[in-house]
């Protein structure tokens, strides 16, 4: 079924906002740094944006079906912690990558089971898993002395921009295939848009929700591995704001968190790049202020609220025009 006019209005408004934020953000960064946008600095921003894009691409599959992915940040931390311990024990990149992916996939699959097979409300499952995973990661780090120092060399095969971009391209191609070419994405959109209609069409909520969570787990695992390759010290504050950044990136990219037919993979990529630029602007402005993390998250929460109001207004305006 074609996307309605009000939904098209939301998509266009969201993409316009995202493009404006990205372009203006880069110009503001250039002004704040007095034109000193070195290649190394831009590579660092691009690397952070690629990692967030990979995780957010997987999260799109969860949000499309109308589920909540607020526990994905905590799942990433658990993946990073388990991957760090694995590398310290085995000194193997391949074993570390396997563990980094397998652990989040397991927890995401468990979230799907709790949400669909046991019929728990999505928000209850999300809060439950958020608390469980956060406590698990904190307990493991506490047992290791409050911090895990990895023995991974800083200049490893995945610490530079080119390999990270390669991982991003491979996962993006995988997501495009599953989401746009195969019928998985179309059925997930139908499920997120109207569960009753999806049931009448023979679309299984359990199957496609489980598929969405598993794909999200793969994205989280790949992101956890790349984070581990560039961060040799893991503690409780590592990736502490990642869960919020995922939602921030999706909304900033013009995709409503309610999912449905307006869900787009491009929202994850554009939104992640814009979210990293916004975060960096805040760091440049208030980075020297005490309690920067709290202030930064509060400001981004205000921006997120404003974006949600703008998108909601665009949807209502489109609905009024459609009715006329």
């Amino acid at each position: 079924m074609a996307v309605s006019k009000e939904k098209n209005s939301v998509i266009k408004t969201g993409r316009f906002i995202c493009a404006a934020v990205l372009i203006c953000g880069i110009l503001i960064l250039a002004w704040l740094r007095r034109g000193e946008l070195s290649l190394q600095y831009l590579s660092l921003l691009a690397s952070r944006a690629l990692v967030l894009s990979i995780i957010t691409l997987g999260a799109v599959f969860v949000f499309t079906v109308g589920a909540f992915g607020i526990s994905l940040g905590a799942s990433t931390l658990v993946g990073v912690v388990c991957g760090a311990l694995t590398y310290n024990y085995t000194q193997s990149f391949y074993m570390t990558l396997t563990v980094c992916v397998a652990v989040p996939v397991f927890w995401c699959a468990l979230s799907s089971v709790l949400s669909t097979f046991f019929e728990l409300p999505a928000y209850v499952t999300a809060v439950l898993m958020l608390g469980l995973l956060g406590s698990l990661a904190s307990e493991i780090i506490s047992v290791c002395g409050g911090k895990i120092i990895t023995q991974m060399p800083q200049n490893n095969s995945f610490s530079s921009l080119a390999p990270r971009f390669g991982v991003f391209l491979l996962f993006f191609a995988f997501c495009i295939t599953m989401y746009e070419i195969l019928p998985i994405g179309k059925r997930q959109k139908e499920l997120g848009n109207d569960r009753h209609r999806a049931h009448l069409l023979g679309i299984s909520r359990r199957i496609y929700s489980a598929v969405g969570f598993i794909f999200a787990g793969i994205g989280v695992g790949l992101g956890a591995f790349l984070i581990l390759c560039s961060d040799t010290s893991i503690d409780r504050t590592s990736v502490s704001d990642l869960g919020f950044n995922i939602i921030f990136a999706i909304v900033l990219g013009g995709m409503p968190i309610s999912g449905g037919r307006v869900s787009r993979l491009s929202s994850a990529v554009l939104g992640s790049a814009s979210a990293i630029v916004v975060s960096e602007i805040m760091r440049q402005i208030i980075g020297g202020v005490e309690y920067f993390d709290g202030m930064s998250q509060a400001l981004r929460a205000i921006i997120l609220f404003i974006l949600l109001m703008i998108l909601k207004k665009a949807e209502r305006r489109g609905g009024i025009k459609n009715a006329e």
Side-chain angles (χ1 to χ4, degrees):
M1 181 179 290
V3 179
S4 60
K5 292 182 179 180
E6 59 268 25
K7 299 299 183 182
N8 268 322
S9 176
V10 174
I11 295 172
K12 292 178 181 178
T13 303
R15 288 178 177 174
F16 174 78
I17 293 173
C18 185
V21 168
L22 187 58
I23 294 173
C24 293
I26 293 175
L27 294 176
I28 293 173
L29 273 179
W31 176 71
L32 289 173
R33 294 178 61 87
R34 299 178 182 178
E36 296 180 2
L37 295 179
S38 64
L39 182 60
Q40 182 179 4
Y41 176 73
L42 292 176
S43 297
L44 178 62
L45 290 183
S47 178
R48 291 168 54 193
L50 287 173
V51 173
L52 182 58
S53 295
I54 291 171
I55 298 174
T56 309
L57 279 170
V60 168
F61 288 91
V62 172
F63 284 101
T64 297
V65 297
F68 293 93
I70 60 174
S71 63
L72 294 179
S75 182
T76 305
L77 179 57
V78 173
V80 171
V81 169
C82 293
L85 295 176
T86 301
Y87 186 84
N88 287 348
Y89 183 76
T90 65
Q91 302 291 308
S92 170
F93 275 102
Y94 298 106
M95 281 297 298
T96 303
L97 175 60
T98 301
V99 171
C100 282
V101 173
V103 170
V105 166
F106 168 77
W107 289 111
C108 287
L110 180 60
S111 297
S112 174
V113 170
L114 293 175
S115 179
T116 57
F117 288 85
F118 291 98
E119 300 296 335
L120 289 180
Y123 66 90
V124 173
T125 304
V127 173
L128 175 65
M129 296 304 298
L130 179 63
L132 176 62
L133 292 172
S135 299
L136 177 63
S138 296
E139 188 63 28
I140 295 175
I141 293 172
S142 297
V143 171
C144 296
K147 182 179 291 187
I148 301 175
I149 305 297
T150 65
Q151 301 174 11
M152 187 177 293
Q154 291 186 351
N155 296 322
N156 55 71
S157 303
F158 293 93
S159 61
S160 59
L161 182 61
R164 290 169 178 252
F165 187 66
V167 174
F168 166 77
L169 286 180
L170 288 174
F171 189 62
F172 185 69
F174 170 79
C175 291
I176 285 289
T177 302
M178 296 298 171
Y179 202 74
E180 301 293 349
I181 299 176
L182 297 179
I184 293 175
K186 181 179 179 181
R187 292 172 183 174
Q188 283 191 321
K189 291 177 183 179
E190 194 65 52
L191 182 61
N193 193 71
D194 189 339
R195 290 185 179 179
H196 179 67
R197 173 182 166 82
H199 177 71
L200 295 177
L201 292 174
I203 299 174
S204 172
R205 175 174 172 249
R206 292 181 176 180
I207 292 176
Y208 287 98
S209 293
V211 168
F213 274 98
I214 290 173
F215 288 168
I218 295 174
V220 165
L222 292 174
F225 177 72
L226 294 179
I227 291 171
L228 181 61
C229 288
S230 60
D231 193 351
T232 58
S233 177
I234 310 299
D235 57 26
R236 294 182 183 87
T237 62
S238 300
V239 301
S240 58
D241 60 346
L242 181 59
F244 179 84
N245 281 340
I246 293 170
I247 299 176
F248 186 59
I250 286 177
V251 175
L252 192 56
M255 172 181 159
I257 57 178
S258 58
R261 297 193 188 103
V262 294
S263 302
R264 296 288 186 276
L265 290 175
S266 59
S267 298
V269 180
L270 295 175
S272 296
S274 300
I276 292 298
V277 169
V278 170
S279 297
E280 184 61 18
I281 290 174
M282 292 182 182
R283 192 186 70 82
Q284 292 289 333
I285 296 175
I286 60 176
V289 179
E290 192 177 3
Y291 310 119
F292 162 70
D293 290 337
M295 292 178 62
S296 175
Q297 190 148 340
L299 289 173
R300 283 179 293 164
I302 294 172
I303 295 173
L304 178 62
F305 176 76
I306 295 172
L307 287 172
L308 289 172
M309 293 299 100
I310 293 174
L311 292 176
K312 191 66 177 178
K313 187 175 181 181
E315 184 176 350
R316 289 176 177 175
R317 184 184 301 139
I320 293 173
K321 290 181 179 180
N322 191 33
E324 292 176 350

